[in-house]
Amino acid sequence: MPTVNLVLTATEVDAAECYQRLSDFARYPELTDAVRSVEVDPPGPDGAVHSRWTVLFRNGLLRWTESDTLDPVARTITFRQLTGDFETFEGQWSVHERETGCDIAFDAHFDLGIPSLAAILDPVAESTLRANILTIVRGLLGAVEPVPPSHV
């Protein structure tokens, strides 16, 4: 299954503010053109939040509903697609304090569900997802820089 791992450093916000902005899904469309809409339901009895997403993806739109588990103490957001355009889409955001600013890690696994075209589509989808995450985080936090894999 394809994986996207991305670590970014933000210097304009601390870890608490970063986590607050990342977990405020309903504001994403206001802050970045990559996200067209997000509808967020109130937390369920287990604390999970369900959210419905429409995101610009290359020349079209992807839509899905996901279950999100937010842990403000650990500063993590774990997500799992329930229904939608992916066969599988799951992963986690995590925010880590730095001396100045914070690091944001995004780790996701996905399957487009088209095995016969996986060799062609998966690298394109991985690159597009990586670019979209960078665009979203910059929209939410301002200046961020990718951390090279050797420094993670």
Side-chain angles (χ1 to χ4, degrees):
M1 189 176 324
T3 300
V4 172
N5 304 104
L6 188 59
V7 178
L8 306 166
T9 295
T11 56
E12 296 178 7
V13 296
D14 64 15
E17 177 67 17
C18 176
Y19 181 81
Q20 174 58 38
R21 291 185 192 182
L22 284 175
S23 61
D24 189 2
F25 307 137
R27 291 207 55 223
Y28 280 35
E30 298 171 26
L31 302 171
T32 176
D33 291 336
V35 178
R36 295 303 171 102
S37 69
V38 181
E39 298 172 21
V40 182
D41 295 336
D46 61 354
V49 173
H50 288 184
S51 53
R52 287 169 301 288
W53 296 74
T54 302
V55 175
L56 186 63
F57 195 80
R58 297 197 48 85
N59 295 326
L61 297 173
L62 284 177
R63 293 178 175 88
W64 70 90
T65 299
E66 67 184 40
S67 175
D68 305 290
T69 303
L70 288 75
D71 183 342
V73 174
R75 294 191 184 112
T76 60
I77 303 167
T78 304
F79 60 90
R80 177 179 54 84
Q81 177 188 275
L82 301 173
T83 63
D85 291 336
F86 292 96
E87 181 74 21
T88 303
F89 183 47
E90 60 190 16
Q92 184 176 68
W93 292 90
S94 58
V95 178
H96 307 279
E97 191 79 50
R98 293 176 51 95
E99 191 170 308
T100 57
C102 60
D103 285 339
I104 305 104
F106 175 82
D107 299 294
H109 309 287
F110 68 91
D111 181 352
L112 295 172
I114 310 171
S116 62
L117 296 176
I120 297 166
L121 294 179
D122 286 353
V124 172
E126 182 179 339
S127 174
T128 302
L129 181 58
R130 187 178 303 279
N132 275 0
I133 293 301
L134 186 55
T135 298
I136 289 166
V137 173
R138 283 184 172 148
L140 293 170
L141 304 176
V144 296
E145 292 301 322
V147 176
S150 62
H151 293 91
V152 175

